Amino acid sequence: MLLYILRRLLSIIPVLFGISLVLFFLLRALPGDPAQVIAGELATQQEVELIRQQLGLDEPVYIQYAKFLNRLVHFDLGKSTRTQYPVTQEIAPRLLNTVILAVAATFLACLFGIPAGIIAAVKPYTTLDMVVTALALFGMSMPAFWLGLMLIIIFSVKLKLLPVGGSGGFVYLILPTITLAAALVAVVARNTRSAMMEVLAQDYITTARSKGVVEKMVILRHGLKNAFIPVITVIGLQFGTMLGGTVLTETVFAWPGLGRLLISSILARDYPVIQGAILIFALLFVLTNLLVDLTYAYFDPKVRYE
């Protein structure tokens, strides 16, 4: 197991290298000059060229990339071209807010999605199953920005129970968490139902029932534990996606997360912040996949890594 973890951790290096290579040259191929954005529309060409020299943008692209890699191996992501603060200092508080939002949404989705999927699988093709399926389809089809606006209108504008947006405490987390978790609840419920129905049709489930095992134990101990591997895979992938895909939710609720920082940095052509944010997204996604793989051994003792 330790050797497997070590190999997976070492495999992160070429992944991040490949992402940094594509990202670096792709950003430079996009239209727009960061020096011109910083200088403003009224700046002279001499002022723009001076800013380009200060940022190192007048050097060949491969030289810029070599310097970027040299800083990266020393865990230095550079400085923001907008604020001149270190990229790590810009990203750290935003990353924490995004992780908090993603964890809260994932927890809420599991809290409702897994029981809903189990109930639908235990009572298939009944009215209850159809209700769960319909709600899951509705949750997957509902745009995050629309749901967020509806929640704001109902709970913030009309009822005045919750703040419209921003951050500052638990109450500020409620509406964005519900918005972000809505689609994930549907995904978790559908996958739990599918996996549970497949497992409950197996011979060992029939054998357990014929031995007089309590139905609750059959469902939870024999059924859910064996059906949870595909479910935990989906949850892990969705969690990794949410770490980089909460831009709409963060924008609607003015949540100071990494997604909003990334969008504003793209508009300002702030290359160091864009590169740092995407590399951190990639690192978190890879680590999440590793954690999901390691949980397989807990739910299925037959799983062994060599």
Side-chain angles (χ1 to χ4, degrees), residues 35-36 38-54:
Q36 184 66 61
I38 295 172
E41 296 181 358
L42 301 179
T44 64
Q45 187 62 33
Q46 183 178 4
E47 291 173 336
V48 174
E49 289 299 325
L50 180 61
I51 293 176
R52 287 180 58 84
Q53 292 177 8
Q54 293 174 345

Side-chain angles (χ1 to χ4, degrees), residues 67-94:
K67 291 183 177 180
F68 169 69
L69 280 185
N70 181 57
R71 293 195 302 269
L72 190 60
V73 297
H74 291 90
F75 303 100
D76 180 11
L77 296 174
K79 292 184 178 181
S80 169
T81 57
R82 290 184 300 171
T83 64
Q84 294 302 309
Y85 287 116
V87 172
T88 51
Q89 186 175 335
E90 291 281 337
I91 289 177
R94 304 295 188 96

Side-chain angles (χ1 to χ4, degrees), residues 10 75 91 127 199 239 247 250 297:
L10 290 176
F75 303 100
I91 289 177
T127 302
V199 169
F239 176 75
V247 177
E250 291 178 0

